[in-house]
Structure formats: structure tokens, C-alpha cells
Amino acid sequence: MAPQMATSRRNGHTCGSCECEVELTEAQKKLPEQLKALLGAENVKSNVNVRGSRLGKGTAMLVLKPGTLREALQALELCAKAEVAVLPQGANTSLTGGSVPRNDCDRPFVIINMRRAKKIMPVGDTPNLALCFAGAGIFQLQTELQKRHRDSHSVLGSMFLNPSVAAGVSYGSGGTQIRKGPAFTDRALFCRVKADGEVELVDTLGLKVKGEKALDFLDSAESLTEEDLDSSCRLPASWPKYREELTKVENKVSRFNADTTGVDCNRSEGKVLILATLHDTFPMPKHVKTVWASCKDIGTAHQLKREVCISSPEKMAKSCEYINRATYDAVDQSGRILIKMIELLGMMKLEPLWNLKLFIESIPVPFSTIICDKFLWWFNNILPKSLPKELQQLADEFDHHMLMEFAEYTDGEVDELMSRLEKFQSKHPGTVRFHVCDNAFSASRAMLFRFAVAPAFRTYCIGLGLQGLSIDYALPKTFKEYPTLPEAQYPIQHRLVYSHFGCNVYHEDFVFDNQTNVHDAKMAIKKAVEAVGGKLPAEHGHGTEYKAPMDTQRRWMKAGSTCVRG
């Protein structure tokens, strides 16, 4: 990780979960009132207990909520002068714990939560580009663009939490979108703290109005047109030629978090404070066919993916996901209520309930951290099974399952993909079967089942009374098995494997008994993944859980190492 800006003296300020004390400097003592004068008292909270939705907890001296880009810059300048540790934060999904304070309390922590700065401005009426403030959510962006018959750059499994667009860029998240690539743009407006402690504004957006003037222009703008763009700017606003790279059969990973391609906001993991980003948009398909395919073994699933979904960049699947039997069992036993709630309430209305769950879990009373998940576990079976009966039958019969979307971007594309699938099935009688979801309910339930995995896993572990561990990694495109893990030393009770299969990026959730040292097991698993050419993490970032590679560390330090963690 990049080093924090400075250290401060001990004995004075209690830093919550780490049970250490830091004596505040005079500048740090004055900081709360300075920030209240800037942002308004209602947007500055003191001594806030913060808990990540999956990982991490701690106490922040201050939580700030700037509403404009100018306010965010000025707040960072005040924080830099006071030499506090700053944590940029979006929706606080906290998959790696990087957006919450942790134990190394050499300085008080200040969180700059960008959620209020959530403006989205598509460029023109039929936009090929869209500008997003850092707090804009990916579900919010997708909804806004679909009104204009365009699609957004990223669709993630945690989409119901409406994670921020800036966090996607910061962590290089990729989601399901094998035609588009991971979240990436070289057109951005961001801040970094230089070695001398001064805040530097970096502008690569490619607007005609630049630098400091761009802040006030964007804060006041209601819309953007092509006339607002600098036509000479040729920086990419999505990953260049991703489809061509993905479909090459070669012994290297498609994408991973520590890739240092692009300007410093990409995969910065909070080492810069992103203010706004410009993104390519994509055409909406004429129609989409959702297909569930089940295979007897993982090798056949990989072969199906290669021959059907990603055999050529011209005609390829829109998405290609994977789950194994253990994953299916866990979601079935833990996720039925979640799936039904998303279905009934919709994506946007679920986010406040999720935040309420996090609040309950942060209350310092016995059992508060588990009561919500215990409820979901105890009452899971009051609802019927989530999958339609045709998919349920496949799930009962096979151990490996693929969820694919075939989309009509060019004439005949879906027919071509279906022809490939039927041909593949005929060559593998008895080892492959598939079902086309022929109505909206069936397709929706299949998708919700796949993307309920991550939140359902915590419920599953708490329900079983066992320990859980979540990791993500990328495997070389030619690798067709699961990595062999050190199970003799760290016995695994359940191994949930699910994947953005098209790009060979995996998420694994492990269930261990309560005697296992989970951190040691994680480091051993990391070595096993790297031994076969894999990269870990792939899209959730290093946070506070892993040591970043030296190339990444050097980039963060060169970028100025904003005072920030995660």
C-alpha cells in the first residue's frame, strides 16, 4: 500500500476499534469546525462507527459529505493541511475493507463520502459518452442511459447496492460485461496529494473548460453537449480493444486489479480522490435471450464457454457467468428472502434497507452483528425455492452451471450463438443440457439467483455458525480447472465457486470451522492461485488485506499517495 502522509503523536484521541489513542495536533482539533463552516454542520459527523457490508470496522474522527466537486476539493485541502488520514468512500460496499478505518491508528481518520455528489450528465440526446460525478451509482447510471436507449459501461453482481461509478474505476471492477471490459477511463478529474502536502487537481476529462474552471462549470451545469467537449482529446473512455484481447487463446489473465494501465485514477484504490469521470456508453441490443446451461464437469463448461460464448470478437455472448453446486446450495439455503425482496422492491429501494442492516450490525450490543443474518437464515424456507422448476431440475442433476445472455447487436447474432450451443450439446450427449428462459420471470429469477451469492454467503456462514472467507482472483485464459488448495492444512467445509466466466475471473467463498486461522488460510490460498499464474485480487482491490505488487506501490507513491487508505 502507499504510505500515509504523516504520523502524529499518541495519547489523546480514541480511535474506536483499534483501542489506541492519538493526540490531536492543533490543526486537527480545529478541523471539525473548519469543515462544518465549509460543508454545513449536517454534512460533518464526528466519531462515527463505520462497518463495511462484508469486511472491516472502525471509528472515523469525521465523516464528510460534500455536495459539489468544489466542496470535495476544498475539504481535501483542509484535511491535507491537518495531516489526517483520508478515506474516499462511495457506497461502502467494502468488499476488501478498504473504505473503513482499521487498526493502524497513527493518525485520526476522516472519511470523504462522495455519495451526495451524484450528478450524471449524458453528452447529447443519444449519448456516446456520459459524465458522472464520483457519487453517482452504477444502477443510477444504467437507468439514466436506458431512457436514451444506451447501455452503461459496467454491470456488477452488487448492483442492488448501487456502488459508485468512481469506486468501479478506482478498483477496476469488471462485472459481467465481457464485451466492454473492466471499469476504466483515461478521462477524469481527480485530486492527489503531492509529497509536500499540497493538493493537486488533475484534469484529463477532455472538456473545453479545464482545471479549476471545470469544477465550477460542472457544478453548475445541468447538461452537456458535444460542443462542451474538446474535439482534440483522444484519450479512451473505456478499455481499448477488450473483446479482441479477451478472445485470444493465450496463457495470461484477461484483467486484474494491479494492472497499472491508464491514468492514475484507474485502479488507484483511493490513493487519489476521484471527482468526476467520463465514460463510453454502448448500444442497447435489439433483444436478449437468457440461457442456463448445466455441465457434468468444469472442463466441459470451459470448452462450452470457449466454443460458444467467446469464440470470436464479432459475435460473442453479452455475459457468461458460472456457479458450482456448493454455491447453488448456499444461495438456496440463505438467499430466498433477499431474492424476493429485490424482486418486490426493486434495486433502488433495497439500498436503504441494506444500510439499515449495516447500522444494526454496528450497534454495540450483544448479537447485533449477527441478528439480521440469523433472521434471514431462520426464515429462509418460508419461501419456495427461487429458481423456476426447469432450472431447478438442471441444478439438481448437474454440478456446474452457466448463465449466459445472448444479445442481438447485429442481425443474426443470437441465432449464431444458439446454433453454436446446439452443436456443442450434440457433440457432448448427456454431459450438457440447457434451458432457454422463455419469459421475463424465468430470466429475472436466474439472474437474481446468480447475483444473490455474495450477500447470501454471510447469512450462510452465520446460519451454520462457522467462519467464512471471500476472495477473488483472475486465472490465465487457458486454465480450465480450479486451483488446488492446501486443504490438508486448512480443511475447507464448503467451497463456493462462482465466476465472471467469460474473462476467467473467479470469486470463491470458503467455509471453515472455528479453529482455523482464516488469515493464514487466505495467504496460503493466495500462493496457490499465484502458483498457476493467477492474479489476486482481480477486481475487489487490495484494501487492507493484501500487499500490493511493487509496480502498483510505485505508481501510488508517484501519484502522490493521497493521504488515503483503500
Side-chain angles (χ1 to χ4, degrees), residues 495-506:
R495 185 178 181 182
L496 285 62
V497 184
Y498 50 107
S499 171
H500 302 311
F501 208 44
C503 54
N504 233 24
V505 166
Y506 286 80

Side-chain angles (χ1 to χ4, degrees), residues 110-301:
V110 175
I111 291 174
I112 300 182
N113 183 291
M114 294 296 294
R115 207 51 161 170
R116 287 181 62 222
K118 58 184 180 181
K119 188 185 294 186
I120 293 174
M121 291 186 286
V123 181
D125 295 329
T126 309
N128 292 319
L129 292 165
L131 187 139
C132 302
F133 281 21
I138 61 169
F139 183 76
Q140 176 192 356
L141 173 61
Q142 187 187 57
T143 301
E144 186 66 31
L145 288 175
Q146 285 178 348
K147 297 174 185 176
R148 295 164 170 81
H149 306 290
R150 299 291 291 180
D151 199 7
S152 59
H153 69 280
S154 189
V155 180
L156 307 180
S158 55
M159 196 161 184
F160 72 93
L161 297 176
N162 199 29
S164 66
V165 172
V169 174
S170 182
Y171 285 94
S173 57
T176 67
Q177 305 301 284
I178 59 176
R179 300 174 71 101
K180 304 172 186 174
F184 175 94
T185 183
D186 276 349
R187 302 185 70 166
L189 187 66
F190 59 93
C191 305
R192 59 190 176 198
V193 178
K194 298 186 294 184
D196 61 5
E198 293 296 314
V199 174
E200 178 183 18
L201 181 66
V202 181
D203 182 3
T204 62
L205 273 175
L207 299 179
K208 288 180 178 177
V209 179
K210 302 182 186 301
E212 287 269 348
K213 293 181 180 179
L215 293 174
D216 299 323
F217 170 74
L218 292 173
D219 280 336
S220 62
E222 298 293 333
S223 62
L224 292 176
T225 69
E226 294 283 349
E227 292 298 312
D228 296 312
L229 303 182
D230 180 352
S231 60
S232 67
C233 180
R234 293 290 181 266
L235 293 173
S238 61
W239 195 278
K241 298 186 179 299
Y242 183 75
R243 279 188 282 175
E244 289 80 352
E245 290 297 319
L246 181 66
T247 52
K248 288 180 183 176
V249 181
E250 53 189 350
N251 190 36
K252 69 176 186 178
V253 301
S254 297
R255 60 182 178 91
F256 64 105
N257 183 269
D259 190 318
T260 55
T261 302
V263 300
D264 291 340
C265 63
N266 293 295
R267 295 173 173 84
S268 61
E269 301 194 26
K271 303 306 183 292
V272 303
L273 177 64
I274 297 174
L275 300 178
T277 48
L278 196 67
H279 296 272
D280 284 327
T281 72
F282 299 85
M284 294 289 291
K286 299 171 186 176
H287 64 89
V288 176
K289 185 169 285 190
T290 303
V291 182
W292 181 293
S294 298
C295 303
K296 289 292 187 183
D297 58 78
I298 185 67
T300 302

Side-chain angles (χ1 to χ4, degrees), residues 312-328:
S312 73
E314 291 77 27
K315 286 184 169 61
M316 62 189 300
K318 180 175 183 282
S319 67
C320 177
E321 298 291 296
Y322 165 87
I323 64 172
N324 70 348
R325 177 175 288 278
T327 304
Y328 161 77

Side-chain angles (χ1 to χ4, degrees), residues 14 41 54 90 183 244 251 264 330 345-346 407 512:
T14 300
R54 293 186 67 185
E244 289 80 352
N251 190 36
D264 291 340
L345 299 178
F512 295 101

